[in-house]
Amino acid sequence: AQSVAQPEDQVNVAEGNPLTVKCTYSVSGNPYLFWYVQYPNRGLQFLLKYITGDNLVKGSYGFEAEFNKSQTSFHLKKPSALVSDSALYFCAVRERNAGNMLTFGGGTRLMVKP
Amino acid sequence: DAGVIQSPRHEVTEMGQEVTLRCKPISGHDYLFWYRQTMMRGLELLIYFNNNVPIDDSGMPEDRFSAKMPNASFSTLKIQPSEPRDSAVYFCASGEDGNYGYTFGSGTRLTVV
């Protein structure tokens, strides 16, 4: 079975500072990994994904994530946070050759203060 | 492309009434997913379809919930009878084989009073 853990319910960061939202996963085989963002009263929007290749993945709005196989992590990062980045962030995993079903983490609320 | 379209955006109904939520996936996507989001339980997968066929409905909470996909461009999630604990935001998402992520609709906020 596949699972995702987002250990922090909320992350607070000052505008202009770097941010990290943590994600660890568990799958039997090799993973596909994703980050989604949800703004208030909206559906989830795709941010970035790791499928294969370079462990550092760059996505929308200046976000990036690093796949670390040994630590089974896929933390989301941004060098300089914006107030407009404040939202709910979801990490998701899908095991290769295991259908098209994503398993989502519980979400982390990012609060960026001016 | 208009994306995944859900209707209605908001639904308020009385306990015991039937509720039908609707979803139009992105054309060409062969997977469709129904999720429920609450503060307490987060994002839960209810059911998903592949090529209009239900593949996994293990997340459907109980027999009061049913979902259909009569064709590739339309799906419904029905709750009958509705209960206050069904109050949540219901999301539909679609995806295509060979691609790796989903596209979500804007959701239906259901309130059962």
Side-chain angles (χ1 to χ4, degrees):
Chain A
Q2 53 197 35
S3 65
V4 177
Q6 295 181 242
E8 303 153 314
D9 289 337
Q10 182 162 317
V11 170
N12 298 309
V13 64
E15 188 175 30
N17 283 0
L19 69 87
T20 298
V21 183
K22 295 179 180 177
C23 172
T24 59
Y25 65 90
S26 174
V27 295
S28 301
N30 291 316
Y32 297 137
L33 294 156
F34 305 81
W35 277 101
Y36 285 80
V37 59
Q38 184 181 28
Y39 297 102
N41 301 313
R42 301 290 296 275
L44 279 69
Q45 298 177 32
F46 171 80
L47 263 184
L48 52 80
K49 65 185 177 189
Y50 170 80
I51 302 300
T52 188
D54 194 345
N55 289 344
L56 184 64
V57 178
K58 294 186 184 297
S60 306
Y61 312 121
F63 283 93
E64 58 188 29
E66 186 166 14
F67 170 58
N68 187 318
K69 188 172 183 178
S70 63
Q71 297 186 3
T72 62
S73 67
F74 190 58
H75 302 331
L76 181 70
K77 298 183 180 184
K78 187 173 182 180
S80 179
L82 300 172
V83 173
S84 57
D85 292 330
S86 299
L88 189 56
Y89 289 81
F90 290 93
C91 182
V93 67
R94 176 191 149 200
E95 186 178 338
R96 299 186 190 203
N97 306 316
N100 200 15
M101 194 180 77
L102 292 181
T103 298
F104 285 86
T108 298
R109 186 164 301 280
L110 174 66
M111 298 290 291
V112 182
K113 299 184 178 180
Chain B
D1 196 326
V4 176
I5 300 172
Q6 291 187 247
S7 64
R9 286 298 308 273
H10 301 275
E11 176 81 36
V12 180
T13 191
E14 293 186 344
M15 183 174 64
Q17 296 298 306
E18 178 180 294
V19 176
T20 299
L21 311 181
R22 297 174 176 80
C23 175
K24 176 178 169 50
I26 291 175
S27 177
H29 282 190
D30 41 19
Y31 285 87
L32 185 139
F33 306 84
W34 282 101
Y35 283 86
R36 178 172 68 176
Q37 186 179 33
T38 62
M39 289 290 292
M40 292 297 295
R41 303 172 69 97
L43 198 61
E44 303 173 275
L45 177 65
L46 300 178
I47 184 171
Y48 81 95
F49 296 83
N50 180 213
N51 293 322
N52 312 339
V53 176
I55 303 300
D56 186 347
D57 65 353
S58 59
M60 296 285 263
E62 48 198 272
D63 291 345
R64 298 184 297 107
F65 286 70
S66 63
K68 294 182 179 180
M69 192 165 185
N71 57 62
S73 59
F74 184 65
S75 177
T76 60
L77 178 68
K78 186 176 294 186
I79 308 172
Q80 166 62 18
S82 57
E83 297 182 3
R85 59 193 169 119
D86 301 331
S87 297
V89 181
Y90 291 81
F91 288 104
C92 176
S94 69
E96 54 185 328
D97 207 7
N99 202 338
Y100 305 104
Y102 307 161
T103 301
F104 280 78
S106 297
T108 295
R109 182 175 296 277
L110 173 65
T111 304
V112 183
V113 298

